[in-house]
Amino acid sequence: MTGQANERIWTAALVVIGDEILSGRTQDKNVAQIAAWLNVQGIRLAEVRVVGDVTAAIVEAVNQLRARNDYLFTTGGIGPTHDDITVDAIAEALGVGVTYHPKAVATLERYYQSRGGLTEARKRMARVPEGADLIENRMSGAPGIRIGNLFVMAGVPHITAGMLDGLTGKLEGGRPVVSRSIGCWVPESEVADILREAEKAHEGVAIGSYPFFRDGRVGANFVVRSPDQALVDTTIADLTARLEAAGREVVAGGI
């Protein structure tokens, strides 16, 4: 096997917290943006779990997922209201207490100075598990929380994005995964063997197949992924040749 095939794969998991997600009142947008951000850091999002605002469920998810991944992210449940219980649940999972982070208090005092002042409810957003550091948040003043390999972030997507920006380049990871796409107007089932053979011929790549129905026609896009750009390019060329040899018209970049 090549050295690249033996490269360390860094993984992360995500726990999405919130009754509003499970009820369907709110559609989650953080999974996609966190996955894309992690990819740029050279880290693979390996699993996602959605749990409600229940302490026991959060504790169980946090302890299970952080044990088998390099990093764990959570979104949701760190606001100023009484039912935002994520901080307390994570502190319980880690076996530590909860305290007010002095830097977070100072940040919130500055932010709310011209917005009605720092009320007790707003001050709740400065609560962190003991021993935690902060994740900068330029969007709303309330910081995220980092403790070990665990990152606790807001559920509002644009605030989550700001917290991710504050973490960019600060996590250890591997090489980012790169991808290229091609497409064919063909039922996926008719080229399954070709896809399987192409993937087997190029160790270290993954080929994803994404069928669709459009304009009264059946088609599929095929995405080749690997940390190795040259391997992706070689596999795309080979897969294109195999499909064309089978009489299929290939659209570079996907349909």
Side-chain angles (χ1 to χ4, degrees):
M1 300 180 81
T2 66
Q4 289 175 352
N6 289 323
E7 275 189 3
R8 164 92 148 84
I9 297 175
W10 295 79
T11 66
L14 170 63
V15 180
V16 179
I17 300 167
D19 292 339
E20 71 279 3
I21 302 294
L22 290 170
S23 71
R25 291 193 303 271
T26 300
Q27 290 188 339
D28 178 80
K29 297 180 180 178
N30 282 323
V31 173
Q33 76 164 343
I34 290 172
W37 179 86
L38 284 167
N39 180 54
V40 175
Q41 314 307 307
I43 301 165
R44 179 182 303 169
L45 182 60
E47 50 189 323
V48 178
R49 189 177 301 186
V50 183
V51 298
D53 295 304
V54 178
T55 297
I58 298 170
V59 169
E60 179 184 41
V62 165
N63 281 334
Q64 286 184 354
L65 298 187
R66 74 187 180 95
R68 61 181 182 234
N69 291 280
D70 296 296
Y71 303 106
L72 174 63
F73 291 77
T74 73
T75 59
I78 60 170
T81 59
H82 71 282
D83 59 348
D84 286 312
I85 62 170
T86 297
V87 170
D88 298 271
I90 287 175
E92 182 174 326
L94 300 179
V96 301
V98 175
T99 187
Y100 286 97
H101 196 294
K103 186 176 178 181
V105 173
T107 298
L108 289 167
E109 284 176 340
R110 288 194 301 272
Y111 182 81
Y112 285 110
Q113 187 173 11
S114 61
R115 297 175 173 85
L118 184 60
T119 63
E120 283 302 311
R122 289 168 171 174
K123 189 179 177 182
R124 279 179 55 84
M125 294 186 288
R127 298 169 73 251
V128 301
E130 289 179 344
D133 295 317
L134 303 180
I135 303 171
E136 184 181 6
N137 168 23
R138 291 188 288 266
M139 301 300 294
S140 69
I145 301 165
R146 175 175 184 172
I147 181 164
N149 70 338
L150 176 57
F151 302 85
V152 183
M153 302 187 299
V156 179
H158 75 274
I159 298 178
T160 307
M163 292 181 178
L164 291 173
D165 183 58
L167 289 172
T168 296
K170 296 181 180 178
L171 276 63
E172 188 174 5
R175 288 186 297 159
V177 173
V178 295
S179 65
R180 285 184 59 189
S181 302
I182 55 176
C184 282
W185 290 104
V186 60
E188 178 187 34
S189 59
E190 293 185 12
V191 294
D193 288 344
I194 293 176
L195 299 176
R196 188 162 42 249
E197 290 164 4
E199 187 174 68
K200 187 176 180 180
H202 300 277
E203 187 177 355
V205 302
I207 301 177
S209 179
Y210 304 94
F212 59 84
F213 182 80
R214 193 181 306 160
D215 301 327
R217 303 171 68 190
V218 175
N221 286 312
F222 312 118
V223 182
V224 177
R225 298 183 176 92
S226 171
D228 187 333
Q229 179 71 65
L231 187 55
V232 169
D233 293 342
T234 299
T235 305
I236 280 285
D238 181 34
L239 180 57
T240 298
R242 290 171 187 261
L243 290 166
E244 289 177 342
R248 308 298 181 180
E249 183 179 350
V250 176
V251 179
I255 299 172

